[in-house]
Amino acid sequence: MTTTTERTLVNYTVSDGIAIIELTNAPANTYSYEMMSQLDNAILQARFDENVHVLVLRGAGEKFFCAGADISMLNSVTPTYKYYFCLHANETLTRLEQTPKLVIAALNGHTVGGGLEIALACDIRIARRNAGKVGLPEINLGVLPGTGGTQRLARALPKNKAIEYMTEGKLMSFEDAQELGLINYIYESENFWEQVMQYAKQFCPPNRASRTVGRIKRAVQSGAEVALADGLALERELQQLCFQSEDAKEGIAAYNEKRKGNFSGR
């Protein structure tokens, strides 16, 4: 009997309450169904780990965060396979987007096609200065951005700008993307990763009530997609969970005692 060893395409480690999820498929960290399956597993692992408060996604190396789907793979499979591949990728990114823990994309290099679609499913995007381009150029392949790009970009930008960038296949610098609001922060190349981790740690105990951070995310990500009355109902339910938490008791007590809160994530 022979066994095969699955190639590692997603590295998963935990450091100081932060789950680090690294896409690793040289040279451009392109993804296949196998990589998406490993990413899906990493997301679930981070969800269930009560010692994980923040997720950080990054690409291996310095040139690419992710260049999207593996085009040579798409060229060799059937239309039916492609459909289920896109369906699973959509499900994986929705799971990432709905995970009640803050997700930060560390854009260390080019973030194009499906790579930008992954980044758009994250909550905060931090880029390395002068390190690459972002965009959804799938039009050049005769296809549309099919891993959530048409939907998430149109929610991140005015519709006319989203259509412009996708139909023209435009790529833009990180700096231009920040001006449009697609990127939150740009850090200098020197000590980029250390700065990203320092940023992420501020959302972990004892600095922040990390479950409340996750509930704010859930309120926004889920509430923005429903009617206002339904969003307000969701907000009230999440607020009640916050009121019942140890961190709310600590935060209110710290405010009244004029001291800094010492949060536990519970």
Side-chain angles (χ1 to χ4, degrees):
M1 179 179 175
T2 60
T3 59
T4 58
T5 302
E6 185 182 49
R7 180 184 170 200
T8 299
L9 298 169
V10 175
N11 289 326
Y12 180 89
T13 56
V14 177
S15 175
D16 297 326
I18 301 167
I20 302 165
I21 301 173
E22 181 181 57
L23 308 179
T24 172
N25 184 29
N29 300 322
T30 53
Y31 61 78
S32 57
Y33 169 71
E34 289 74 21
M35 177 187 276
M36 273 292 167
S37 293
Q38 292 181 30
L39 177 59
D40 206 2
N41 289 334
I43 294 165
L44 289 171
Q45 191 170 345
R47 273 190 180 188
F48 279 92
D49 189 342
E50 294 189 7
N51 294 314
V52 166
H53 305 282
V54 178
L55 288 68
V56 176
L57 268 67
R58 70 178 182 183
E62 295 188 349
K63 291 186 177 181
F64 287 90
F65 171 75
C66 175
D70 184 337
I71 304 302
S72 61
M73 177 274 296
L74 291 177
N75 191 47
S76 66
V77 298
T78 67
T80 299
Y81 184 97
K82 292 174 189 175
Y83 174 80
Y84 286 114
F85 164 69
C86 288
L87 175 61
H88 175 257
N90 268 297
E91 292 167 338
T92 297
L93 296 188
T94 297
R95 197 188 318 280
L96 180 67
E97 190 173 55
Q98 291 299 321
T99 293
K101 299 181 181 185
L102 193 70
V103 181
I104 299 168
L107 309 182
N108 52 296
H110 296 298
T111 305
V112 296
L116 179 55
E117 290 175 303
I118 292 173
L120 286 170
C122 299
D123 306 306
I124 301 288
R125 290 174 284 278
I126 302 174
R128 188 165 64 95
R129 188 174 300 281
N130 299 321
K133 303 279 189 179
V134 299
L136 297 173
E138 284 88 345
I139 187 67
N140 297 318
L141 301 175
V143 298
L144 56 75
T147 312
T150 63
Q151 302 306 301
R152 291 191 176 94
L153 192 65
R155 286 161 169 76
L157 298 178
K159 287 182 181 179
N160 65 312
K161 295 302 291 184
I163 292 172
E164 172 191 330
Y165 275 95
M166 287 185 281
T167 58
E168 296 181 15
K170 285 184 177 181
L171 299 181
M172 67 188 105
S173 68
F174 287 155
E175 290 73 19
D176 287 343
Q178 185 183 35
E179 287 187 12
L180 288 172
L182 287 178
I183 288 175
N184 297 81
Y185 301 104
I186 296 177
Y187 292 163
E188 300 299 328
S189 291
E190 185 178 2
N191 300 321
F192 171 72
W193 180 243
E194 289 79 3
Q195 294 177 79
V196 169
M197 289 295 286
Q198 183 177 359
Y199 178 81
K201 285 176 185 176
Q202 71 173 296
F203 301 103
C204 297
N207 303 308
R208 287 283 196 283
S210 56
R211 288 192 180 182
T212 300
V213 171
R215 286 165 184 155
I216 290 172
K217 168 194 174 159
R218 280 296 311 277
V220 173
Q221 294 287 20
S222 297
E225 299 302 318
V226 300
L228 177 60
D230 296 325
L232 291 172
L234 172 63
E235 181 184 85
R236 287 192 298 273
E237 295 303 316
L238 292 169
Q239 179 72 301
Q240 181 61 17
L241 292 175
C242 292
F243 282 145
Q244 294 171 352
S245 70
E246 293 181 17
D247 279 344
K249 295 175 183 176
E250 165 60 15
I252 293 170
Y255 178 84
N256 287 326
E257 296 166 13
K258 295 181 172 55
R259 61 176 175 81
K260 183 179 179 180
N262 184 36
F263 299 106
S264 64
R266 293 192 293 272

